[in-house]
């Protein structure tokens, strides 16, 4: 489909709005001025700003042009042209987006900005009337903002969090878009990887100390960190404990993502070395769906791991579920959620399936339709009602591209047990220093509110082969903090 952009610079937003409705369509954006192009290739969307704002949608069975008055404010013109297109595509598809035409911005952060600059009432009205967000999602944003705010405010100007990446997994899930490598092919890289990772951790710890940074949280993610054996896990965690001032650290998370990688030995290593929060992520407790997503464990295995983890008395145990997995039904999703709620976990994160370009699902040609969106919507509604009833509150929320039905991911928590790191990273509250392959360091300048990103190599073999360069890039982190002083 061609999207013509005539006499305006808002191609990014116009493409995003179109993608909401046509996530799998190949879109070609054509920018031009005045009458450079007079014939358009159907099917097409023509957006233009001249004396007025005008949008034409020309599909085989639907042709319509709508106009609106131009303003002096460029930002408002961007919103106006987007909203004309959004309303035309809503009319054509019959689909009402839960988050309206909000794309590319974090809804809760945006809600907070509006609330702080005007009022909560204004924020709600603006979401509803200017962005067409549904009442249910406005309410979700409002409640999430309330629980997120206190966590954000608890961070200091020199605060930072540490992220450590373990990009290995026992097998690759069909929906995965991360760089994670299946251990079947990369087992031999784990030992050298962990050795170098410990060096990078130590190097980073020195930078943190030299610049008097205040460690708030540690998050070991991936991948599946518990793919490491107990000795490797212990070595890595001890490297963290000896390299950073852990006295200020308020939360230490290890993603024990895949139940088939967890053992009593590993849980003991985590507990004995100061880990306070673990995450076990079955994504569904339906065996046939587990098999279809490429998991090598059963629902029963996952439930047993929650029981085993319970005996180690971590401050917080999290579980992840995904709504919208292929072949999962509303009833089976509800059953999965109920089983997790029965375990009385402190955190339950409910994701919406997002089919990214690099996922196996995309290669297999999997797409989703209106019925999938409706089914996913019912799952999320069930989750919301159940979790509220059981005393959980939403404390962070984010959205990704190509999510089924354009819904959201929500972290639910018992009050006081929120996952701090999740809020800090999503809100971009403070700097995140990242170690390991695929890690992205984000340096926050509180004066300008800008983030500088420094990327590590993506794959473990690149990380091992170019380790000197990894340390060189860490020197840029040091320079950043020195220049801030
Ligand atoms: S466990 Fe996570 S990182 Fe590993 S393959 Fe599955 S989705 Fe990807």
């Amino acid at each position: 489909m061609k999207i013509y952009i005539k006499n305006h610079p808002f191609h990014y937003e116009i493409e995003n709005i179109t993608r909401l409705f046509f996530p799998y369509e190949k879109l070609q954006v054509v920018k031009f001025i005045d009458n450079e192009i007079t014939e358009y290739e159907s099917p097409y969307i023509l957006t233009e700003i001249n004396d007025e704002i005008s949008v034409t949608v020309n599909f085989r069975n639907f042709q319509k042009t709508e106009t609106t008055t131009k303003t002096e404010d460029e930002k408002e013109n961007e919103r106006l042209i987007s909203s004309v297109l959004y309303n035309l595509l809503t009319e054509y598809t019959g689909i009402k987006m839960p988050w309206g035409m909000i794309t590319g911005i974090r809804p809760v952060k945006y809600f907070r900005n509006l609330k702080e600059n005007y009022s909560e009432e204004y924020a709600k009205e603006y979401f509803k009337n200017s962005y067409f967000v549904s009442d249910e999602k406005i309410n979700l944003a409002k409640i999430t903002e309330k629980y997120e705010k206190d966590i954000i405010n608890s961070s200091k100007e020199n605060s930072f969090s540490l992220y450590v990446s373990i990009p290995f997994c026992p097998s690759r899930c069909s929906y995965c878009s991360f760089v994670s490598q299946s251990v079947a092919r990369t087992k031999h890289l784990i030992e050298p990887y962990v050795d170098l990772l410990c060096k990078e951790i130590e190097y980073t710890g020195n930078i943190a100390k030299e610049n008097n940074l205040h460690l708030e949280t540690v998050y070991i993610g991936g991948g599946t960190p518990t793919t490491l054996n107990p000795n490797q896990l212990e070595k890595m965690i001890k490297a963290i404990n000896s390299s950073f001032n852990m006295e200020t650290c308020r939360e230490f998370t290890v993603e024990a993502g895949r139940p088939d990688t967890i053992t009593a030995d590993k849980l003991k290593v985590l507990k004995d070395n100061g880990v306070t929060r673990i995450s076990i992520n079955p994504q569904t407790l339906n065996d046939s769906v587990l098999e279809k997503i490429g998991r090598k464990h059963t629902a029963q295995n996952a439930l047993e791991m929650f029981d085993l983890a319970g005996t180690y008395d971590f401050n917080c145990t999290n579980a992840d579920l995904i709504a919208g997995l292929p072949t999962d039904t509303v009833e089976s999703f509800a059953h999965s959620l109920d089983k997790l709620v029965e375990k009385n976990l402190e955190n339950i994160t409910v994701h919406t399936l997002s089919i990214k370009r690099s996922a196996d699902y995309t290669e297999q040609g999997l797409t989703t339709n209106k019925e999938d969106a409706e089914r996913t919507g019912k799952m999320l509604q069930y989750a919301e009602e159940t979790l509220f009833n059981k005393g959980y509150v939403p404390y962070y929320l984010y959205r990704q591209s190509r999510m089924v039905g354009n819904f959201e991911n929500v972290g639910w928590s018992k009050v006081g047990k929120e996952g701090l790191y999740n809020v800090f990273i999503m809100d971009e509250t403070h700097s995140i220093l990242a170690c390991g392959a695929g890690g992205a360091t984000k340096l926050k300048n509180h004066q300008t509110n800008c983030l500088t990103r420094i990327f590590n190599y993506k794959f473990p073999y690149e990380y091992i082969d170019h380790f000197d360069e990894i340390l060189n890039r860490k020197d840029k982190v040091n320079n950043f903090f020195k220049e801030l002083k």
Side-chain angles (χ1 to χ4, degrees):
M1 180 195 303
K2 286 216 159 109
I3 305 176
Y4 293 97
I5 309 286
K6 183 176 175 186
N7 294 345
H8 69 84
F10 309 126
H11 59 94
Y12 183 73
E13 197 54 23
I14 292 300
E15 191 178 345
N16 279 344
I17 299 284
T18 311
R19 280 209 184 287
L20 282 179
F21 294 89
F22 305 101
Y24 309 108
E25 190 94 15
K26 201 166 170 230
L27 304 179
Q28 192 190 342
V29 175
V30 184
K31 295 182 242 174
F32 70 106
I33 305 169
D34 291 331
N35 295 324
E36 282 171 1
I37 298 175
T38 49
E39 293 216 357
Y40 309 106
E41 275 178 55
S42 198
Y44 69 85
I45 291 168
L46 167 63
T47 60
E48 57 186 311
I49 301 187
N50 292 311
D51 294 337
E52 57 182 8
I53 289 170
S54 155
V55 177
T56 298
V57 168
N58 190 315
F59 300 153
R60 211 165 356 124
N61 49 354
F62 184 90
Q63 287 99 26
K64 200 163 182 179
T65 299
E66 289 286 350
T67 57
T68 193
T69 311
K70 189 167 94 172
T71 72
E72 295 299 311
D73 179 349
E74 279 290 273
K75 209 68 209 130
E76 180 59 4
N77 287 339
E78 180 180 27
R79 194 192 64 76
L80 285 170
I81 196 165
S82 302
S83 65
V84 175
L85 173 63
Y86 176 84
N87 286 324
L88 276 172
L89 295 182
T90 302
E91 185 182 337
Y92 169 66
T93 59
I95 298 172
K96 278 201 154 188
M97 295 295 164
W99 289 97
M101 61 173 205
I102 289 190
T103 67
I105 47 174
R106 278 151 299 173
V108 180
K109 192 165 187 163
Y110 193 38
F111 190 90
R112 177 165 41 256
N113 285 344
L114 291 169
K115 184 178 148 182
E116 283 174 1
N117 287 326
Y118 302 95
S119 70
E120 184 172 292
E121 217 34 54
Y122 179 90
K124 283 159 66 179
E125 288 299 310
Y126 196 75
F127 263 40
K128 190 182 173 89
N129 300 327
S130 299
Y131 279 90
F132 316 113
V133 181
S134 71
D135 289 342
E136 294 76 27
K137 298 306 173 193
I138 292 173
N139 194 40
L140 186 60
K142 185 189 96 172
I143 300 172
T144 309
E145 192 276 329
K146 179 177 154 203
Y147 288 100
E148 207 187 63
K149 190 176 63 197
D150 288 345
I151 298 172
I152 293 167
N153 289 343
S154 70
S155 171
K156 302 173 182 50
E157 193 154 324
N158 65 340
S159 290
F160 77 104
S161 288
L162 174 70
Y163 177 80
V164 177
S165 168
I166 303 295
F168 302 98
C169 284
S171 61
R172 190 170 158 86
C173 304
S174 312
Y175 54 83
C176 182
S177 61
F178 298 125
V179 294
S180 193
Q181 303 272 289
S182 152
V183 279
R185 287 191 293 129
T186 53
K187 200 166 192 280
H188 63 288
L189 296 178
I190 296 182
E191 194 70 38
Y193 179 81
V194 171
D195 286 345
L196 291 175
L197 182 61
C198 290
K199 286 190 186 156
E200 191 191 0
I201 289 168
E202 195 186 331
Y203 203 82
T204 309
N206 287 337
I207 293 171
K209 282 181 200 150
E210 223 180 293
N211 293 286
N212 205 17
L213 303 182
H214 180 101
L215 180 63
E216 295 283 351
T217 69
V218 176
Y219 193 101
I220 305 181
T224 307
T226 40
T227 308
L228 305 189
N229 67 35
N231 291 338
Q232 292 160 341
L233 265 181
E234 183 159 41
K235 188 173 177 184
M236 172 182 64
I237 298 174
K238 280 196 183 319
I240 295 170
N241 287 337
S242 62
S243 304
F244 292 88
N245 177 6
M246 299 303 288
E247 276 170 27
T248 62
C249 181
R250 294 192 279 153
E251 176 186 276
F252 192 147
T253 300
V254 172
E255 246 184 77
R258 302 275 288 261
D260 43 337
T261 62
I262 302 171
T263 63
D265 287 356
K266 293 182 195 179
L267 290 171
K268 185 170 182 326
V269 165
L270 304 186
K271 182 68 189 175
D272 289 351
N273 289 282
V275 170
T276 60
R277 183 175 181 272
I278 62 164
S279 188
I280 302 175
N281 304 327
Q283 314 301 7
T284 168
L285 292 173
N286 177 324
D287 282 338
S288 75
V289 181
L290 278 170
E291 199 185 326
K292 287 210 171 62
I293 63 173
R295 289 298 183 94
K296 306 276 182 231
H297 63 85
T298 62
Q300 186 56 30
N301 296 149
L303 292 170
E304 283 164 10
M305 283 311 137
F306 285 111
D307 292 339
L308 181 63
T311 64
Y312 289 87
D313 201 23
F314 291 99
N315 179 47
C316 176
T317 300
N318 171 72
D320 278 7
L321 277 186
I322 299 180
L325 288 170
T327 73
D328 205 11
T329 61
V330 178
E331 293 70 32
S332 115
F333 175 85
H335 173 79
S336 300
L337 184 79
D338 291 346
K339 283 278 168 206
L340 292 180
V341 168
E342 268 173 33
K343 296 285 171 205
N344 204 20
L345 306 171
E346 288 80 12
N347 287 182
I348 297 178
T349 308
V350 182
H351 293 267
T352 298
L353 177 68
S354 159
I355 306 176
K356 293 285 173 58
R357 280 196 186 82
S358 53
D360 290 354
Y361 272 154
T362 303
E363 239 169 66
Q364 294 158 14
L366 184 89
T367 54
T368 56
N369 55 28
K370 208 170 160 183
E371 285 72 43
D372 295 315
E374 280 167 14
R375 178 173 57 92
T376 305
K378 285 182 187 156
M379 293 174 178
L380 295 175
Q381 197 184 346
Y382 180 84
E384 192 172 318
E385 284 166 14
T386 307
L387 291 166
F388 269 130
N389 281 338
K390 296 289 177 183
Y392 291 85
V393 293
Y395 73 97
Y396 87 108
L397 181 156
Y398 67 102
R399 299 175 67 224
Q400 295 167 288
S401 59
R402 295 162 74 109
M403 292 180 108
V404 181
N406 286 300
F407 288 104
E408 68 280 324
N409 303 324
V410 181
W412 295 85
S413 169
K414 293 280 173 75
V415 176
K417 296 285 183 181
E418 296 84 358
L420 308 180
Y421 176 84
N422 292 329
V423 174
F424 294 145
I425 182 117
M426 280 307 150
D427 175 70
E428 298 173 343
T429 311
H430 56 228
S431 295
I432 308 285
L433 305 190
C435 295
T441 290
K442 293 173 187 157
L443 302 169
K444 173 102 182 221
N445 182 331
H446 289 278
Q447 270 83 53
T448 60
N449 246 343
C450 287
L451 276 190
T452 303
R453 291 178 170 79
I454 298 174
F455 296 96
N456 277 4
Y457 285 101
K458 263 185 166 184
F459 295 102
Y461 70 89
E462 295 175 302
Y463 179 84
I464 292 168
D465 288 351
H466 302 286
F467 189 68
D468 288 349
E469 174 58 20
I470 296 285
L471 296 189
N472 286 342
R473 289 181 192 178
K474 277 283 168 312
D475 291 338
K476 291 188 193 156
V477 176
N478 207 1
N479 293 341
F480 172 87
F481 287 112
K482 296 252 173 310
E483 279 165 21
L484 274 188
K485 284 178 189 165

